[in-house]
């Protein structure tokens, strides 16, 4: 069995920007010193609060966000207001990809699922930077493909796999991006993310907790056994991780 590992960078000491703040965003970390000197002064370091909506479906996207810490969900919003998660973004990525190809809005809602930080860039500045910085443009396009692959796999997962497997997969993906064993996940939030009933989430979380894989309390999930949780997840987690590793090896 191939060991499944997160592809996010794990470094003891991170580079810092001109203001002394640690840079953890993978896209920014890949840039050469020359491009960093062009890009970083144009970005604004901002704090993000739990359940903060960064982009609303159909509305103008004013800024893009290089996620530095925390977790963002990409949500498909139905006419009746119901939502289902179709993607996750952590410190490996960027929120606001429609701006990259000249679109001013998108079909999904982007919302934070944990307190965090990001480097914010307004739409016009991003347009200029991608013209001037080919490395930045390439990394953003690569992330766009990674996110599209993840979204496709999540769509298949939601259709083909049971709630217990999907919940295990979602917890693993969230931990990869937050980088902590304790995740701020409420029952209602998990039901929205998985597109299922709260009662189904309660049963699924109970199965994982009884097996000793997680501790589930009101408002949080704590991972107790990462390896066994990977074994409990559907194949979608490994498929996504393996493809990301393959692309990363090819890029290097």
């Amino acid at each position: 069995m191939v060991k499944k590992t997160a592809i996010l960078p794990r470094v003891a000491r991170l580079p810092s920007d001109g203001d002394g703040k640690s840079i953890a965003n993978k896209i920014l970390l890949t840039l050469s010193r020359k491009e960093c000197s062009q890009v970083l002064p144009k970005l604004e370091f901002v704090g993000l609060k739990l359940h903060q909506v960064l982009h609303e479906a159909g509305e103008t996207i004013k800024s893009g966000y290089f996620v530095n810490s925390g977790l963002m969900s990409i949500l498909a919003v139905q006419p009746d207001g119901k939502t289902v998660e179709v993607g996750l973004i952590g410190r490996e990525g960027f929120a606001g990809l429609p701006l990259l190809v000249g679109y001013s809005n998108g079909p999904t809602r982007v919302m934070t699922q944990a307190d965090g930080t990001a480097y914010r860039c307004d739409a016009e500045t991003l347009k200029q930077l991608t013209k001037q910085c080919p490395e930045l443009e390439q990394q953003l396009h690569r992330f766009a493909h990674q996110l599209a692959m993840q979204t496709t796999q999540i769509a298949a997962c939601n259709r083909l796999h049971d709630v217990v497997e999907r919940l295990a997969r979602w917890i693993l993906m969230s931990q990869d991006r937050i980088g902590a064993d304790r995740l701020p996940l409420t029952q209602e939030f998990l039901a929205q993310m998985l597109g299922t009933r709260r009662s189904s989430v309660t049963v699924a979380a109970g199965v994982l907790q009884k097996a000793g894989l997680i501790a589930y309390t009101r408002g949080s999930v704590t991972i107790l056994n990462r390896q066994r949780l990977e074994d409990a997840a559907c194949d979608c987690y490994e498929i996504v991780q393996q493809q990301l590793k393959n692309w990363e090896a090819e890029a290097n």
Side-chain angles (χ1 to χ4, degrees), residues 86-176:
V86 294
L88 278 174
I89 305 173
R91 62 189 186 273
E92 83 287 358
F94 174 83
L97 287 172
L99 297 175
L100 188 61
V101 291
Y103 294 142
S104 62
N105 59 71
T108 55
R109 175 185 299 159
V110 179
M111 184 172 70
T112 61
Q113 299 299 356
D115 290 345
T117 60
Y119 285 92
R120 182 166 61 193
C121 182
D122 68 75
E124 186 57 35
T125 298
L126 182 68
K127 181 179 179 181
Q128 295 303 318
L129 284 175
T130 53
K131 288 181 179 179
Q132 300 165 4
C133 303
E135 295 171 17
L136 175 64
E137 183 180 34
Q138 182 185 58
Q139 290 301 323
L140 286 169
H141 278 295
R142 283 178 173 173
F143 177 68
H145 280 282
Q146 293 167 12
L147 190 61
M149 180 271 294
Q150 178 198 129
T151 299
T152 300
Q153 196 64 46
I154 288 176
C157 183
N158 288 340
R159 174 64 179 85
L160 298 173
H161 298 132
D162 66 39
V163 178
V164 174
E165 292 177 315
R166 288 158 51 200
L167 178 60
R169 184 263 301 163
W170 196 94
I171 292 172
L172 290 167
M173 292 179 69
S174 297
Q175 187 195 35
D176 289 346

Side-chain angles (χ1 to χ4, degrees), residues 29-70:
L29 288 173
T30 62
L31 302 181
S32 64
R33 181 169 301 190
K34 177 182 177 181
E35 287 208 3
C36 273
S37 67
Q38 294 174 276
V39 173
L40 289 179
K42 303 292 180 67
L43 307 181
E44 178 188 7
F45 188 82
V46 296
L48 304 173
K49 296 298 183 181
L50 176 68
H51 296 165
Q52 181 178 342
V53 176
L54 302 180
H55 304 144
E56 187 57 88
E59 295 185 1
T60 299
I61 300 174
K62 297 179 180 179
S63 302
Y65 295 81
F66 294 89
V67 184
N68 207 56
S69 65

